[in-house]
Amino acid sequence: MNPVLDQERAEFLAARVASAKLQLLPQWVRPEKELPVVSLPIEWVRFSTLNHRTRAEQMRDIKTSGIADLFTADPLGPAAQEAQLKILASQEGFEALRGDLRERGQLEPAVVTAEGVLINGNRRSAGLRDLWLSDHDPKGRYVRAFVLPADTTADELIDLETELQVAKDYREDYSWVNEALLIEEIFESSNKDWDRVAQRMRLKPAEVRAQYDKLQQLYQLVAMSNGTRHHADFVDNESAFEELSKHIKDKPLTEAAAVRSVYFLGTLSGVNYRDLRHLRRKDAVAFVRGEFEGDPTLTNLLSVVEDAQDLSEQDLLDDVLGGGPVASTPDLTPVLSFLAQRTAQAIVDLPGGEQVPVQELLNSVCSAVTAAAKEASEDAKDSQAAIAPLVRLTSAKDDIARAAATLAKARVQDGWDEAAYKQKVDEVRAALAQIEAL
């Protein structure tokens, strides 16, 4: 008997397991891969609050409810279970899943612990429960599930979750944020061994590190908002965080800070990540500030931000960004912090008495950053035009040097044509004479 388990629930499930047939679960990590499969009342099973596919949403609910142990004080209790069900039902694709369950029923068994906590199949069970409770559809009354041994360890549960994620029949999509949070947890529990993390996630080491790096950037933006923004708010911004983390990886601190502040400001305000690419440069802030200063509303916003910034806010920015020369560099971080810490519905009093909702300010910021990105793109094209002749001449010089290095070997070959060679040299001389005469 495992004393950690809820004995009443464990005994209920054990009674059903006693007469259950075994079925192969190839993803189960132990050598004995046949496990009992039972049908359980849909209202009896419990959702897993340790589910990594909902971690970002849980972090948001903990913050907004102010209940730090919402999912841990009593994971099988009504408060945690209701919150978890709400998260599962709000995820993208839930209605389509519910419709599929109504039409075809449950195709693959879920997986539960020895006390009936769902390890896999949480969303499907949420859909079945909704069918049963809302529509009294008999297809939703029971959920079929593999039952894990009572002595299953936490480490085995994580390995099973990652193995099931690889398997097509059991796969349930992670958001990039939740996958990155899982990678971070495995990284910390694997003595920070990237090869071990990659092996467990069935990914390449570079891929798990890229996910981890993106998450570290997201942590900074969320921390900068001081509780107003949450990880789950940025599920749709993966490309922006990916391109940002790659670009700043080996850049000087000042350039990294400048590009990061522009990317965060663009992400908050809804700028397309393809436009933000043009601002991956050390003078990115100058382009954006130029657009701010040409817009009266944003000029007033800059004025408000300077007045509102106090020592406590500066301390917060230093904590998030590391302080030192990065934090003291004039950039967009104060206005970014000001907007990140306010909801879209909050009202900002501008000089002159005008009151503007934050969402309206974000719309203006979006226009300004997008315009700055176009300006930076045009500037890059002009810069390329200015150096284009030098680039081509350098390439031509290098090609001539490579031709000289291979000449002796070519001349001893049967197919060598000395006349063609001399004609080509004359053409090069003529091209040089032509360019010198310009």
Side-chain angles (χ1 to χ4, degrees), residues 254-306:
T254 51
E255 179 175 347
V259 174
R260 183 188 295 112
S261 65
V262 168
Y263 256 77
F264 283 177
L265 201 55
T267 301
L268 270 183
S269 61
V271 177
N272 189 298
Y273 75 95
R274 293 186 178 88
D275 290 329
L276 289 173
R277 288 173 182 167
H278 301 301
L279 292 166
R280 289 180 297 189
R281 46 193 292 170
K282 61 185 178 183
D283 56 355
V285 168
F287 280 94
V288 177
R289 285 195 71 95
E291 295 297 328
F292 266 56
E293 290 163 2
D295 183 316
T297 299
L298 295 179
T299 302
N300 283 334
L301 173 62
L302 289 174
S303 175
V304 170
V305 169
E306 289 173 1

Side-chain angles (χ1 to χ4, degrees), residues 173-191:
D173 290 338
Y174 281 83
S175 70
W176 75 269
V177 178
N178 285 325
E179 182 177 85
L181 288 168
L182 173 59
I183 287 171
E184 182 182 53
E185 183 177 322
I186 295 176
F187 178 60
E188 295 298 333
S189 65
S190 303
N191 296 321

Side-chain angles (χ1 to χ4, degrees), residues 9 40 42 44-51 53 76 81 84 88 106 109-113 115-126 129 143-146 148 157:
R9 293 182 60 82
L40 298 168
I42 195 62
W44 183 85
V45 293
R46 293 291 179 265
F47 301 109
S48 171
T49 57
L50 300 177
N51 190 328
R53 295 184 184 88
L76 305 188
Q81 289 294 303
Q84 189 67 12
L88 292 166
Q106 181 190 3
V111 181
V112 297
T113 66
E115 58 182 344
V117 178
L118 289 154
I119 298 304
N120 180 268
N122 279 272
R123 284 213 317 155
R124 282 177 288 156
S125 297
R129 182 175 295 194
V143 57
R144 287 185 300 111
F146 288 102
L148 297 175
L157 290 180

Side-chain angles (χ1 to χ4, degrees), residues 127-412:
L128 290 170
R129 182 175 295 194
D130 194 53
L131 283 180
W132 174 240
L133 296 181
S134 299
D135 302 342
H136 303 295
D137 188 329
K139 287 180 180 175
R141 186 169 185 176
Y142 295 96
V143 57
R144 287 185 300 111
F146 288 102
V147 182
L148 297 175
D151 61 349
T152 301
T153 67
D155 207 40
E156 287 175 327
L157 290 180
I158 289 181
D159 280 343
L160 176 60
E161 183 177 343
T162 53
E163 289 296 321
L164 289 170
Q165 179 59 17
V166 175
K168 182 179 177 182
D169 290 341
Y170 295 90
R171 186 183 183 93
E172 294 184 5
D173 290 338
Y174 281 83
S175 70
W176 75 269
V177 178
N178 285 325
E179 182 177 85
L181 288 168
L182 173 59
I183 287 171
E184 182 182 53
E185 183 177 322
I186 295 176
F187 178 60
E188 295 298 333
S189 65
S190 303
N191 296 321
K192 300 186 177 181
D193 183 341
W194 282 119
D195 290 335
R196 175 65 177 145
V197 178
Q199 183 182 24
R200 294 181 74 172
M201 292 297 296
R202 297 290 190 89
L203 296 171
K204 296 176 181 176
E207 292 174 326
V208 293
R209 293 199 67 161
Q211 288 290 73
Y212 181 87
D213 290 344
K214 281 188 287 185
L215 181 63
Q216 305 317 302
Q217 297 304 317
L218 177 55
Y219 271 128
Q220 293 196 41
L221 180 52
V222 171
M224 193 177 289
S225 78
N226 204 20
T228 304
R229 316 277 174 173
H230 311 285
H231 292 72
D233 296 337
F234 299 97
V235 168
D236 295 332
N237 300 109
E238 179 177 9
S239 296
F241 284 99
E242 181 173 352
E243 295 190 357
L244 169 64
S245 62
K246 284 181 180 176
H247 178 76
I248 66 174
K249 195 168 187 177
D250 301 316
K251 293 293 185 294
L253 290 178
T254 51
E255 179 175 347
V259 174
R260 183 188 295 112
S261 65
V262 168
Y263 256 77
F264 283 177
L265 201 55
T267 301
L268 270 183
S269 61
V271 177
N272 189 298
Y273 75 95
R274 293 186 178 88
D275 290 329
L276 289 173
R277 288 173 182 167
H278 301 301
L279 292 166
R280 289 180 297 189
R281 46 193 292 170
K282 61 185 178 183
D283 56 355
V285 168
F287 280 94
V288 177
R289 285 195 71 95
E291 295 297 328
F292 266 56
E293 290 163 2
D295 183 316
T297 299
L298 295 179
T299 302
N300 283 334
L301 173 62
L302 289 174
S303 175
V304 170
V305 169
E306 289 173 1
D307 292 341
Q309 192 177 19
D310 57 25
L311 292 178
S312 62
E313 283 185 292
Q314 187 58 52
D315 288 344
L316 171 64
L317 295 180
D318 287 350
D319 288 343
V320 172
L321 301 176
V326 177
S328 63
T329 302
D331 59 19
L332 294 164
T333 304
V335 70
L336 164 64
S337 176
F338 181 90
L339 292 171
Q341 292 177 26
R342 286 159 177 79
T343 65
Q345 298 75 31
I347 300 297
V348 176
D349 294 321
L350 296 181
E354 185 182 6
Q355 293 187 317
V356 182
V358 166
Q359 184 57 58
E360 194 170 314
L361 292 172
L362 286 172
N363 293 341
S364 296
V365 169
C366 180
S367 298
V369 176
T370 302
K374 290 180 180 176
E375 186 68 23
S377 174
E378 292 301 320
D379 181 74
K381 291 176 183 175
D382 290 345
S383 298
Q384 287 299 314
I387 64 172
L390 297 178
V391 171
R392 291 186 180 280
L393 282 173
T394 300
S395 177
K397 183 200 71 171
D398 293 342
D399 284 345
I400 290 174
R402 281 194 287 271
T406 60
L407 184 58
K409 185 176 180 180
R411 272 180 164 153
V412 300

